[in-house]
Amino acid sequence: DFFRHHLTKKDGTLPITRQMAAGGLAGLFQIVVTTPMELLKIQMQDAGRIAAQAKALGKTIQKTSASQIAMTLIKEKGIAGLYKGTGATALRDVSFSVIYFPLFATLNQFGPRKGEGSTDAAFWVSFLSGCAAGSIAAVSVNPMDVIKTRLQALKKAEGEMAFNGIGDCIK
Protein backbone atom coordinates (compact mmCIF):
# COMPACT_ATOMS: atom_id res chain seq x y z
CA ASP A 1 0.00 0.00 0.00
CA PHE A 2 2.91 2.37 0.72
CA PHE A 3 4.21 2.04 -2.84
CA ARG A 4 0.70 2.05 -4.32
CA HIS A 5 0.05 5.34 -2.51
CA HIS A 6 3.25 6.95 -3.77
CA LEU A 7 2.82 5.68 -7.33
CA THR A 8 -0.81 6.78 -7.71
CA LYS A 9 -1.12 9.53 -10.32
CA LYS A 10 -2.36 13.00 -9.40
CA ASP A 11 -5.73 12.19 -10.96
CA GLY A 12 -6.15 9.26 -8.51
CA THR A 13 -5.53 6.47 -11.02
CA LEU A 14 -3.03 3.66 -10.64
CA PRO A 15 -2.27 2.07 -14.02
CA ILE A 16 -1.37 -1.62 -14.12
CA THR A 17 2.31 -0.83 -14.80
CA ARG A 18 2.46 1.25 -11.62
CA GLN A 19 0.62 -1.48 -9.70
CA MET A 20 3.24 -3.94 -10.90
CA ALA A 21 6.05 -1.54 -9.92
CA ALA A 22 4.50 -1.14 -6.44
CA GLY A 23 4.31 -4.92 -6.05
CA GLY A 24 7.88 -5.38 -7.27
CA LEU A 25 9.20 -2.76 -4.85
CA ALA A 26 7.33 -4.42 -1.97
CA GLY A 27 8.91 -7.77 -2.93
CA LEU A 28 12.34 -6.17 -3.12
CA PHE A 29 12.06 -4.79 0.42
CA GLN A 30 10.70 -8.11 1.68
CA ILE A 31 13.83 -10.10 0.73
CA VAL A 32 15.92 -8.25 3.31
CA VAL A 33 14.06 -10.21 5.98
CA THR A 34 13.14 -13.40 4.17
CA THR A 35 16.46 -14.38 2.56
CA PRO A 36 18.23 -15.38 5.83
CA MET A 37 15.10 -17.23 7.03
CA GLU A 38 14.79 -19.09 3.73
CA LEU A 39 18.48 -19.97 3.78
CA LEU A 40 18.25 -21.40 7.30
CA LYS A 41 15.03 -23.29 6.48
CA ILE A 42 16.70 -24.95 3.50
CA GLN A 43 19.77 -25.83 5.59
CA MET A 44 17.61 -27.50 8.22
CA GLN A 45 15.71 -29.45 5.54
CA ASP A 46 18.98 -30.50 3.91
CA ALA A 47 20.52 -31.51 7.24
CA GLY A 48 17.87 -34.19 7.67
CA ARG A 49 18.25 -35.42 4.10
CA ILE A 50 22.04 -35.56 4.30
CA ALA A 51 21.92 -37.32 7.69
CA ALA A 52 19.58 -39.97 6.24
CA GLN A 53 21.91 -40.52 3.27
CA ALA A 54 24.92 -40.79 5.58
CA LYS A 55 23.08 -43.24 7.82
CA ALA A 56 22.31 -45.43 4.78
CA LEU A 57 26.06 -45.49 4.09
CA GLY A 58 26.83 -46.42 7.72
CA LYS A 59 28.11 -42.96 8.66
CA THR A 60 26.80 -40.59 11.30
CA ILE A 61 26.47 -36.84 11.15
CA GLN A 62 26.17 -34.59 14.20
CA LYS A 63 22.75 -32.95 14.61
CA THR A 64 22.56 -29.22 13.99
CA SER A 65 20.21 -26.32 14.69
CA ALA A 66 19.30 -23.17 12.82
CA SER A 67 21.22 -21.05 15.32
CA GLN A 68 24.34 -23.23 14.89
CA ILE A 69 24.10 -22.89 11.12
CA ALA A 70 23.60 -19.12 11.40
CA MET A 71 26.55 -18.69 13.76
CA THR A 72 28.80 -20.80 11.52
CA LEU A 73 27.82 -18.75 8.47
CA ILE A 74 28.42 -15.48 10.29
CA LYS A 75 31.84 -16.66 11.59
CA GLU A 76 32.94 -17.93 8.17
CA LYS A 77 31.39 -15.36 5.83
CA GLY A 78 30.04 -12.54 7.97
CA ILE A 79 26.47 -11.28 7.78
CA ALA A 80 26.68 -11.57 3.99
CA GLY A 81 26.79 -15.36 4.45
CA LEU A 82 23.14 -15.24 5.53
CA TYR A 83 22.27 -13.66 2.18
CA LYS A 84 23.52 -16.43 -0.12
CA GLY A 85 21.07 -16.74 -2.99
CA THR A 86 19.73 -13.20 -2.66
CA GLY A 87 19.63 -12.72 -6.42
CA ALA A 88 17.53 -15.85 -6.90
CA THR A 89 15.34 -14.92 -3.92
CA ALA A 90 14.81 -11.47 -5.43
CA LEU A 91 13.97 -13.03 -8.79
CA ARG A 92 11.35 -15.21 -7.13
CA ASP A 93 9.89 -12.73 -4.63
CA VAL A 94 9.86 -9.65 -6.84
CA SER A 95 8.25 -11.63 -9.68
CA PHE A 96 5.69 -13.07 -7.24
CA SER A 97 4.82 -9.60 -5.96
CA VAL A 98 4.62 -8.12 -9.47
CA ILE A 99 1.98 -10.75 -10.27
CA TYR A 100 0.20 -11.08 -6.90
CA PHE A 101 -0.51 -7.52 -5.78
CA PRO A 102 -2.02 -6.10 -9.01
CA LEU A 103 -3.99 -9.31 -9.59
CA PHE A 104 -5.35 -9.24 -6.03
CA ALA A 105 -6.31 -5.56 -6.33
CA THR A 106 -8.04 -6.18 -9.66
CA LEU A 107 -9.95 -9.26 -8.48
CA ASN A 108 -10.85 -7.58 -5.19
CA GLN A 109 -12.73 -4.88 -7.11
CA PHE A 110 -15.35 -7.41 -8.18
CA GLY A 111 -18.15 -8.62 -5.96
CA PRO A 112 -20.13 -6.99 -3.19
CA ARG A 113 -18.78 -4.43 -0.74
CA LYS A 114 -18.95 -4.71 3.07
CA GLY A 115 -21.91 -2.38 3.18
CA GLU A 116 -23.77 0.23 1.25
CA GLY A 117 -21.41 3.08 0.35
CA SER A 118 -18.31 1.13 1.47
CA THR A 119 -15.29 0.82 -0.78
CA ASP A 120 -14.05 -2.25 1.12
CA ALA A 121 -14.80 -5.66 -0.37
CA ALA A 122 -16.74 -8.24 1.59
CA PHE A 123 -14.45 -10.67 3.42
CA TRP A 124 -15.18 -13.59 1.09
CA VAL A 125 -14.36 -11.47 -1.98
CA SER A 126 -10.97 -10.51 -0.52
CA PHE A 127 -10.37 -14.09 0.62
CA LEU A 128 -11.10 -15.59 -2.81
CA SER A 129 -9.14 -12.81 -4.54
CA GLY A 130 -6.14 -13.56 -2.33
CA CYS A 131 -6.42 -17.31 -2.93
CA ALA A 132 -6.65 -16.90 -6.70
CA ALA A 133 -3.89 -14.28 -6.94
CA GLY A 134 -1.60 -16.24 -4.60
CA SER A 135 -2.12 -19.50 -6.46
CA ILE A 136 -1.46 -17.98 -9.87
CA ALA A 137 1.62 -16.09 -8.63
CA ALA A 138 3.02 -19.15 -6.81
CA VAL A 139 2.64 -21.41 -9.84
CA SER A 140 4.21 -18.74 -12.05
CA VAL A 141 7.36 -18.37 -9.93
CA ASN A 142 7.81 -22.03 -8.98
CA PRO A 143 10.77 -22.55 -11.36
CA MET A 144 12.51 -19.58 -9.73
CA ASP A 145 11.87 -21.12 -6.30
CA VAL A 146 13.65 -24.32 -7.42
CA ILE A 147 16.63 -22.24 -8.56
CA LYS A 148 16.72 -20.37 -5.23
CA THR A 149 16.62 -23.62 -3.28
CA ARG A 150 19.42 -25.15 -5.34
CA LEU A 151 21.64 -22.11 -4.75
CA GLN A 152 20.95 -21.93 -1.03
CA ALA A 153 21.81 -25.57 -0.32
CA LEU A 154 25.23 -25.19 1.29
CA LYS A 155 26.16 -28.80 2.07
CA LYS A 156 26.02 -31.44 -0.60
CA ALA A 157 25.65 -35.16 -0.14
CA GLU A 158 28.07 -37.44 -1.92
CA GLY A 159 27.61 -37.29 -5.69
CA GLU A 160 25.32 -34.25 -5.56
CA MET A 161 25.79 -31.38 -8.00
CA ALA A 162 26.92 -27.98 -6.74
CA PHE A 163 25.39 -24.91 -8.39
CA ASN A 164 27.32 -21.69 -8.83
CA GLY A 165 24.69 -19.28 -10.10
CA ILE A 166 21.23 -18.85 -11.56
CA GLY A 167 22.37 -19.86 -15.05
CA ASP A 168 24.10 -22.96 -13.67
CA CYS A 169 20.82 -24.11 -12.05
CA ILE A 170 18.91 -23.87 -15.33
CA LYS A 171 21.22 -26.22 -17.25
Side-chain angles (χ1 to χ4, degrees):
D1 285 344
F2 174 83
F3 293 114
R4 287 175 57 87
H5 172 74
H6 287 302
L7 292 172
T8 298
K9 290 183 166 185
K10 290 180 183 177
D11 65 3
T13 61
L14 186 63
I16 191 72
T17 53
R18 288 184 179 216
Q19 288 183 45
M20 293 169 73
L25 288 167
L28 192 60
F29 276 80
Q30 170 201 329
I31 64 172
V32 172
V33 174
T34 59
T35 299
M37 290 187 297
E38 288 275 337
L39 179 71
L40 294 173
K41 176 190 81 167
I42 290 166
Q43 300 321 303
M44 293 303 297
Q45 290 170 338
D46 263 4
R49 182 182 54 81
I50 290 170
Q53 288 176 343
K55 186 177 181 180
L57 296 172
K59 300 177 184 176
T60 57
I61 293 182
Q62 184 179 356
K63 288 187 178 188
T64 188
S65 69
S67 51
Q68 287 173 322
I69 293 169
M71 293 311 293
T72 300
L73 277 171
I74 291 169
K75 284 178 187 171
E76 291 176 3
K77 299 180 183 184
I79 294 293
L82 294 175
Y83 286 89
K84 180 175 174 51
T86 299
T89 303
L91 186 64
R92 180 199 64 180
D93 289 355
V94 171
S95 298
F96 178 91
S97 297
V98 164
I99 297 166
Y100 174 80
F101 287 112
L103 184 56
F104 171 78
T106 301
L107 294 174
N108 204 37
Q109 293 175 23
F110 302 115
R113 304 290 97 189
K114 282 185 177 178
E116 198 170 313
S118 175
T119 57
D120 294 333
F123 169 77
W124 67 269
V125 174
S126 293
F127 178 77
L128 291 176
S129 298
C131 288
S135 297
I136 290 167
V139 167
S140 299
V141 302
N142 187 275
M144 293 172 246
D145 188 46
V146 171
I147 291 169
K148 178 201 67 70
T149 301
R150 286 180 173 180
L151 288 175
Q152 288 184 327
L154 299 175
K155 292 183 180 178
K156 308 294 181 209
E158 286 186 40
E160 236 178 17
M161 288 181 61
F163 299 98
N164 297 315
I166 293 172
D168 193 30
C169 292
I170 297 171
K171 293 178 189 178

